[in-house]
Amino acid sequence: MRLHHIGLSLAFLLASIFSFNVSAQSTYPNRPIRLIIPFTPGGVTDTSGRYIAEQLTLKLGQQVIADNRPGASGNIGAQMVASAEPDGYILLLGYAGTLSINPSLFDKVPFDSMKDFAPIGKIGDAILILVANNDFPGKTWAEVLAISKKDPNGLSYGTSGSGGTPHIAGELLKQKTGANLVHVPYKGGGQALIDLLGGNIPLVYTAVAGANQYVKSGRIKAIAVSSAKRSPGLPDVPTFIESGVKDFEIDDWVGLLAPAKTPKPIVMKLNQALNEILNSPEGKAKLLGMGITPTPGTPEKFGEQIKSDLLRFSPIVKGMQIKSE
């Protein structure tokens, strides 16, 4: 008889937990959500992340707070989310460099890109651009190449950090053209652009999303973009392919992720809200203006991209012997 009561009590407890979980998911969100941006303000992750946070706030009826947590090429912010409670109240603004390149770049990363996150959806592909400060004499890639070869010390170019997509793009550019470029890593694309604006570095390889406003206002010069086609936001800037670098194409991406084991209904609610933003005329125009091509889709499709990019970048990083700094 006692065993019968224990069995009933256990069944009641399990039913209560299940009922509570279902109720929590159906009323989600009922408090503010934190979106961890693993880089300093000003770069592509920051500008796109803050816009998505603003729009999700409107869609979900709860404030989505953009929270910059830079360090270790995005590893610190990513680890925060990987180890967080999987309840949908802490999310990650995922970046190609952090999730697909860092595992090959660092001897150890504090997360597993495939096991520790629940993909929500990709925001879009971010076009990369090489920009110069206004005092730099070159205006085209051919002129930059010629100047670099005349400088015995090489031309410095800044990026958001060692092993990020802009860094890999810069190293591939050196391989293809023989340019004498010297990499200078920063803690984020925004800091690299600040130094460029101040004349402390001649070149920066970054995302159009961060550089766009400064190019349009004439505060810096655009050299070329590394996409297959010109950026819709900067249609006058040529591609590297147009500038004579054959088959040179490399882009970035940004997306939303939650901790692994986040309940599927919560993931799908966030995915639906994100896709509504990406499919809206206003959302498309805003992101295209940043240099990001919106890519609405499923969590599964985003997860497949992370996996395929892990396989794609691993031999490149190891072949170049790039190491974290």
Side-chain angles (χ1 to χ4, degrees), residues 230-280:
R230 294 190 180 199
S231 166
L234 295 171
D236 296 332
V237 181
T239 66
F240 277 101
I241 296 171
E242 289 175 309
S243 303
V245 187
K246 188 178 179 182
D247 299 327
F248 186 72
E249 179 187 351
I250 184 165
D251 289 324
D252 235 332
W253 54 253
V254 285
L256 281 185
L257 302 100
K261 298 182 181 178
T262 298
K264 188 73 172 177
I266 289 177
V267 170
M268 293 313 297
K269 186 167 189 175
L270 290 166
N271 174 264
Q272 181 182 350
L274 176 63
N275 283 339
E276 286 175 7
I277 296 165
L278 302 181
N279 282 315
S280 71

Side-chain angles (χ1 to χ4, degrees), residues 86-322:
D87 55 9
Y89 289 97
I90 183 165
L91 307 175
L92 176 67
L93 199 290
Y95 165 65
T98 303
L99 297 176
S100 296
I101 296 173
N102 282 7
S104 299
L105 178 72
F106 289 81
D107 292 332
K108 288 183 180 179
V109 289
F111 56 84
D112 185 309
S113 297
M114 296 305 301
K115 294 179 181 177
D116 291 344
F117 301 102
I120 294 166
K122 188 170 141 188
I123 295 169
D125 292 308
I127 295 174
L128 298 177
I129 186 169
L130 183 68
V131 287
N133 70 52
N134 283 339
D135 292 332
F136 182 72
K139 294 180 180 179
T140 66
W141 169 245
E143 291 171 350
V144 172
L145 180 61
I147 292 167
S148 78
K149 289 182 175 180
K150 289 177 183 175
D151 190 335
N153 298 317
L155 271 177
S156 296
Y157 76 99
T159 73
S160 55
S162 292
T165 319
H167 180 200
I168 287 183
E171 297 305 301
L172 283 172
L173 194 59
K174 284 169 62 175
Q175 279 190 359
K176 279 182 167 286
T177 65
N180 189 11
L181 300 175
V182 179
H183 181 237
V184 180
Y186 286 80
K187 289 184 178 179
Q191 287 191 355
L193 285 168
I194 288 169
D195 257 15
L196 186 77
L197 288 161
N200 298 318
I201 194 166
L203 302 168
V204 164
Y205 216 141
T206 189
V208 167
N212 193 23
Q213 59 176 314
Y214 304 118
V215 173
K216 285 186 172 179
S217 64
R219 295 181 67 190
I220 58 177
K221 295 185 288 191
I223 303 299
V225 293
S226 53
S227 48
K229 297 179 180 178
R230 294 190 180 199
S231 166
L234 295 171
D236 296 332
V237 181
T239 66
F240 277 101
I241 296 171
E242 289 175 309
S243 303
V245 187
K246 188 178 179 182
D247 299 327
F248 186 72
E249 179 187 351
I250 184 165
D251 289 324
D252 235 332
W253 54 253
V254 285
L256 281 185
L257 302 100
K261 298 182 181 178
T262 298
K264 188 73 172 177
I266 289 177
V267 170
M268 293 313 297
K269 186 167 189 175
L270 290 166
N271 174 264
Q272 181 182 350
L274 176 63
N275 283 339
E276 286 175 7
I277 296 165
L278 302 181
N279 282 315
S280 71
E282 298 83 2
K284 285 181 183 177
K286 182 73 173 180
L287 289 166
L288 284 170
M290 292 181 184
I292 298 172
T293 303
T295 53
T298 64
E300 291 77 17
K301 188 175 180 181
F302 183 33
E304 287 167 8
Q305 169 134 29
I306 296 169
K307 184 178 180 179
S308 66
D309 280 355
L310 274 164
L311 296 172
R312 174 191 172 200
F313 285 120
S314 178
I316 294 174
V317 174
K318 289 173 182 174
M320 291 180 175
Q321 298 182 326
I322 297 172

